[in-house]
Amino acid sequence: MTASTIDTSSAATKLSDLPPEGRAALRAGVVGNWIDNIHVFLPLTALAPAMLVLAGPAVTASTAALVVVAMLFGRPLGGLVFGRLADRLGRTRTTRIAVGGTAACALAIAAMPTYEVLGGWTIVGILVLRFLGGIFVAGQYSAAIPLAMEWSTPRRRGLMSGMILSMAPWAQASIAFAVTGLLIVIGPEAYATWGWRVLFVIGALLSVGLLIYYGRQVTDAPVFHRQTRAAAQKPGTRRPGLADVLTGRWAPTFWQVFLLMTGLWLLTNSTVLLLTERLGTDTGFSATNVSLTMGIASVAQAIAMACAGHLSTYLGRRNLFLLWGLATTLFAPVIWWFAVTSSALGQAVVFAALLQVITVAAYGPVSAYLSERFPTEIRSTGYGMAYSFSLILPALYPFYLPLVETMLGRHGSVMALVGLGGVLLVLGAILGPKLSPRDISHDIDVVAANTAAHPE
């Protein structure tokens, strides 16, 4: 399919002109990604005060890290499997399957017996459920986010991308404030015994509500139906698959966005996961104060991320990534050091918020960017694989970070990861297309076709 054969009439469509199911898809994309990330980040903050009850007296910081990493390892498989399903069965149907699986995993964790009952099998069970949950979570964003981008008008894709991905820090903030509130209201002992289970039940119920909404309100976008009709008119034509993304027609696109996303995932692990851990171990702050600090920082990140997505419509996608990547490389390592060495809570809050604004807020245009790089026939597969496969190497940090610490020290090792993330973000942006304001003002398949034919 070439740009000349694609209907571009949707380029002039206003958001208010979208049919009800289109507006529903955009709302579901935003709220759904908030719920998705509730499940992603629950263990990071919600399980930390209860790890002694769940993992026993031998619990270590590495145990908590593995609970987080277990879901990260499941996501590449989910991105591949559900991405392919979404391209074949439709985005909406695939999203419903993924959302239902996510809810089931969260409920199973909420019902998990303590260490006193099962011993070491408790933490093993949680790790298995987190891995399965990662598969379903990846399925949700591999289908639902491309669906939202396909319904978005060209001049609103950046804004919608920023709003959708800003739900990740809003989810972090929601969990952080919820944990803080429960610790204050019921106390640490009751929280470790049963309080954390309430949060997982709430997460499951949110997913059930989302499942019902998708079933009643959301349908696939016209661009997907258009591609399906075109494929039906060519019986016997081979459908694109995994090999086409990794080594075939779309391989240059995949590996370029893989590099860019690897940089962003390094920044995520350094400035979200590791920052949360080090604020608790290196500053002497209580669990309540750590939750409060990360909650405020997440709010700042969410606002900046939404703005970054919209700003990319006016600066161009590449320029936005270059701007954030250079700021990260030059300033973020020093800001990280100030955040984890602060002795005053107020200072830690300011530096943590500033750190997240100049690093992971760069995710703002990512949903639009990845969706614009792959055509409809392979969009969910490309999106899911690029977003999920790129997190594998960064997710292994519990294994390689101790080795780096022996050379660069406790703080220097993480500062190096932050700087490396910025460098990879810059390099990935340079290797990709400009996607200037003029380039992205077209139908999403026109943009994908043009960047494939003319990468610069």
Side-chain angles (χ1 to χ4, degrees):
M1 181 179 293
T2 65
S4 61
T5 64
I6 297 174
D7 177 17
T8 61
S9 60
S10 63
T13 303
K14 297 179 181 179
L15 184 62
S16 59
D17 293 335
L18 289 177
E21 57 267 29
R23 296 193 294 272
L26 297 181
R27 287 192 292 268
V30 174
V31 177
N33 204 48
W34 175 70
I35 296 173
D36 213 18
N37 280 281
I38 289 288
H39 294 287
V40 170
F41 291 106
L42 264 176
L44 176 63
T45 305
L47 287 187
M51 285 306 295
L52 184 63
V53 173
L54 294 172
V59 64
T60 64
S62 297
T63 305
L66 286 176
V67 173
V68 176
V69 170
M71 173 169 272
L72 298 181
F73 286 153
R75 288 165 72 174
L77 179 58
L80 173 60
V81 172
F82 282 96
R84 299 295 298 128
L85 286 176
D87 285 331
R88 291 172 179 267
L89 302 181
R91 322 293 193 217
T92 306
R93 188 188 307 180
T94 303
T95 299
R96 294 199 300 266
I97 298 171
V99 171
T102 303
C105 290
L107 282 176
I109 291 178
M112 184 65 61
T114 63
Y115 179 84
E116 289 186 355
V117 176
L118 291 182
W121 288 107
T122 295
I123 200 66
V124 171
I126 290 176
L127 289 174
V128 171
L129 288 170
R130 288 293 292 171
F131 176 79
L132 293 175
I135 295 175
F136 289 114
V137 160
Q140 183 172 332
Y141 62 65
S142 297
I145 295 181
L147 170 64
M149 293 296 98
E150 288 168 350
W151 272 113
S152 296
T153 59
R155 299 294 291 179
R156 293 291 183 269
R157 279 198 295 266
L159 175 61
M160 290 308 305
S161 174
M163 291 180 64
I164 288 172
L165 290 185
S166 72
M167 291 300 104
W170 280 123
Q172 297 170 40
S174 301
I175 296 168
F177 293 141
V179 171
T180 301
L182 281 174
L183 287 170
I184 293 173
V185 172
I186 68 176
E189 184 175 347
Y191 180 90
T193 303
W194 59 267
W196 64 271
R197 300 180 189 274
V198 173
L199 298 178
F200 277 86
V201 171
I202 292 174
L205 293 177
L206 289 172
S207 289
V208 171
L210 183 66
L211 177 62
I212 295 172
Y213 186 80
Y214 265 96
R216 294 180 176 178
Q217 303 291 333
V218 183
T219 64
D220 289 328
V223 68
F224 181 83
H225 295 301
R226 185 176 65 204
Q227 185 274 329
T228 302
R229 289 194 300 270
Q233 293 172 1
K234 299 178 181 179
T237 302
R238 187 183 70 85
R239 288 178 176 266
L242 176 62
D244 295 287
V245 176
L246 292 178
T247 61
R249 179 179 176 184
W250 291 286
T253 296
F254 172 78
W255 290 111
Q256 177 262 314
V257 295
F258 174 89
L259 182 66
L260 184 144
M261 290 303 303
T262 298
L264 285 173
W265 281 117
L266 277 174
L267 295 178
T268 300
N269 292 343
S270 303
T271 64
V272 178
L273 304 184
L274 280 168
L275 181 62
T276 303
E277 175 190 319
R278 297 294 174 87
L279 285 174
T281 58
D282 292 27
T283 63
F285 295 154
S286 66
T288 301
N289 285 339
V290 171
S291 295
L292 179 63
T293 299
M294 293 307 297
I296 295 173
S298 297
V299 171
Q301 178 198 153
I303 295 171
M305 192 177 292
C307 292
H310 195 41
L311 187 60
S312 72
T313 301
Y314 300 95
L315 293 180
R317 309 289 192 231
R318 176 199 278 175
N319 287 341
L320 190 286
F321 289 133
L322 288 176
L323 175 65
W324 248 265
L326 290 172
T328 293
T329 305
L330 295 174
F331 305 113
V334 176
I335 297 174
W336 192 93
W337 184 85
F338 278 116
V340 296
T341 58
S342 298
S343 57
L345 180 62
Q347 291 178 346
V349 169
V350 170
F351 286 121
L354 180 59
L355 178 66
Q356 295 204 7
V357 165
I358 71 168
T359 56
V360 288
Y363 274 94
V366 162
S367 288
Y369 186 73
L370 295 183
S371 297
E372 290 164 345
R373 301 306 313 283
F374 298 96
T376 297
E377 62 184 336
I378 197 73
R379 181 166 293 124
S380 279
T381 301
Y383 190 107
M385 290 175 61
Y387 199 87
S388 301
F389 279 39
S390 56
L391 64 79
I392 296 176
L393 293 177
L396 294 173
Y397 75 89
F399 303 100
Y400 58 72
L401 186 61
L403 299 177
V404 182
E405 285 183 359
T406 61
M407 297 179 287
L408 301 179
R410 181 169 176 79
H411 297 318
S413 58
V414 183
M415 292 167 66
L417 290 184
V418 174
L420 177 60
V423 170
L424 293 180
L425 176 57
V426 169
L427 183 58
I430 290 174
L431 294 175
K434 292 179 179 179
L435 287 179
S436 67
R438 181 179 179 181
D439 296 332
I440 59 181
S441 63
H442 301 290
D443 177 278
I444 194 168
D445 271 351
V446 171
V447 179
N450 287 341
T451 57
H454 307 287
E456 288 301 318

